[in-house]
Structures are given as structure tokens and as C-alpha cells.
Amino acid sequence: MILFPAIDLKDGQAVRLLRGEMESATVFNDDPAAQAESFVEAGFQWLHLVDLNGAFEGRPVNAPAVEAILKAVAIPAQLGGGIRDMATIERWLDLGLRRVILGTVAVKNPDLVREACRAFPGRVVLGIDARGGRVATEGWAEVSEIEALELARRFEDAGAAAIVYTDIERDGALQGANVEATRALAEALETPVIASGGVASLDDLAAFLAIEDSGIEGVISGRAIYDGRIDPASALALLAKEPSGAA
């Protein structure tokens, strides 16, 4: 199971939000490329990047910061936020991103998601962000009437590499992950699921490791890594072990 350290980008800085509220941003590093390098030095094998401004504006905004990260490190990275057309998808993949994450367009332009999955096998991830079980879009500013599982099932045959499932109410709150909701989603799908939102401790990681066989590919954590609640060495050692029990 992969542990993805998150680098959320706002105004060119690495920040963390509380439940997706832009005004609640805490700046952790004003040099995102240096932050990425520190994650590599800590032993992480992947990066999870989010263009927060881009998610709200519907276009890439923090491109210089993302490009600096891609130049600074060699490990694979996935990016979400403001990716709404094929030209943007192609540009990011050409620049060296391993995977792009499509969220808002999954609701508003599903044909684009299917086209991208066909054009770039294994390099498109579906981002499903839920508030109260319903899918949020436009940087979580809008909540649709579509339930997370319903949206995921619409794309089961599209060929997405994975689904990043985020519980918005827990994101950045350090209150623990919604393990049961993530497990239910993963068990209902063939597409692998990456858990996000509220991952605050090694106990959370252990809980996901125990249900890895239900279809959990990885876990994203941000604030807990930045503030030391999750020690990278301990976390990576934990995830390198066989799961203690699968349900």
C-alpha cells in the first residue's frame, strides 16, 4: 500500500486547508520543490499534488510550482486541480506527471474522462470528493446531488487507474479517516481506491492496511506528516509489512 504525501499548492506555496476552506490555509513551505525533495529524502515513493487555486478557477494556476517539483525529483507524482480539458491533460503528462486526477469534469464532462482514459491508459485517476456522501466539485465549492458510489460506478468500465476518495469533512481536521466509507466504496468497485481525508496517525494507516485486500491502493496524508503526527520512517516501515488481517 502506497503512502502519498500531499503537497497542496496555493499562491505558489505548500499549504494545508481545513475541510477545503481556502481562507483556512496554513503555509508549511514557501518552496514546494524543496518540500518535494524532503519527501524523497524521507523515503516516499510517490507524491500527491493539488493545485488548489486551479481547482477553484478551473485552469492551472500553480503550474510554475508543479513544474519546479517535477524538475527537482524523480519519483512519480499525480496532480489534481484545474484539469478540465484534453490539452491540459496532455501538457501535464508531457511535462512528466505520471498521473492526472480528474474530479469536477467527472460530473460535468464525463466524456472527457472516458476519452482521457482511452488515450492515456494507466495515467488517469478519478477524483471523488464527498461532503455528506455527495460529490463536491469546483474546488469543493459546489455539492452535487450525485452520491460518491453512484459516480464511481459510472466509470467502472472507463479504465481509470484508480479513484482518490476524499471525505471533505475530515480533510485537514486530524480527526481520523473515514475508514468504513472508504472500505464500502472499495468493496463495491473493481477500480483501486486511494483514501484521503483525516489521516492523522499510524493507527489510521494500520486500519487501511488491514482492509487493503478490499481494493485500497494507497493513502494520502498531508497535515499529519507536516506537523509530525505521522513519522515518515515509522509509517513507511508499517506499510512495508504484510497486512495483519484482511476483511
Side-chain angles (χ1 to χ4, degrees):
M1 195 169 75
I2 302 166
L3 178 56
F4 297 82
I7 301 179
D8 290 358
L9 300 164
K10 178 178 183 286
D11 304 332
Q13 300 174 312
V15 308
R16 292 301 294 166
L17 305 184
L18 177 61
R19 301 186 180 93
E21 300 295 335
M22 286 288 271
E23 61 271 19
S24 70
T26 301
V27 177
F28 281 100
N29 199 322
D30 60 9
D31 186 343
Q35 183 62 59
E37 289 174 326
S38 73
F39 283 148
V40 172
E41 291 168 2
F44 291 105
Q45 299 297 310
W46 270 87
L47 295 176
H48 176 78
L49 313 177
V50 182
D51 182 347
L52 293 171
N53 301 99
F56 280 93
E57 296 190 26
R59 60 178 181 82
V61 175
N62 287 285
V66 175
E67 291 174 26
I69 290 170
L70 295 177
K71 290 177 182 177
V73 302
I75 64 171
Q78 58 187 25
L79 169 72
I83 304 174
R84 308 284 169 85
D85 56 55
M86 187 61 79
T88 302
I89 293 169
E90 291 177 350
R91 178 176 179 273
W92 278 129
L93 295 179
D94 286 345
L95 284 171
L97 274 174
R98 179 68 58 87
R99 305 198 297 201
V100 293
I101 303 169
L102 304 181
T104 293
V105 293
V107 175
K108 301 195 172 184
N109 188 2
D111 289 342
L112 174 65
V113 177
R114 294 181 178 278
E115 180 186 356
C117 287
R118 288 194 299 269
F120 304 105
R123 303 188 71 184
V124 176
V125 173
L126 186 64
I128 298 181
D129 307 322
R131 193 188 298 273
R134 299 191 182 277
V135 177
T137 61
E138 306 293 345
W140 302 350
E142 300 178 9
V143 179
S144 71
E145 292 301 312
I146 304 171
E147 293 190 355
L149 179 56
E150 177 188 348
L151 181 63
R153 281 179 167 154
R154 291 181 186 179
F155 292 97
E156 269 287 77
D157 62 348
I163 291 172
V164 173
Y165 173 67
T166 304
D167 185 327
I168 297 171
E169 294 301 326
R170 303 198 184 207
D171 191 68
L174 298 173
Q175 295 175 347
N178 194 337
V179 178
E180 285 309 310
T182 307
R183 174 182 179 174
L185 186 71
E187 289 181 339
L189 303 171
E190 293 295 326
T191 308
V193 173
I194 299 170
S196 176
V199 177
S201 67
L202 292 179
D203 288 343
D204 287 324
L205 297 181
F208 281 117
L209 189 62
I211 62 168
E212 182 181 12
D213 287 351
S214 67
I216 307 296
E217 176 185 279
V219 178
I220 296 167
S221 184
R223 186 180 294 269
I225 295 175
Y226 287 98
D227 70 10
R229 292 172 189 252
I230 291 180
D231 171 64
S234 300
L236 293 171
L238 171 67
L239 298 187
K241 299 176 183 177
E242 290 297 318
S244 56

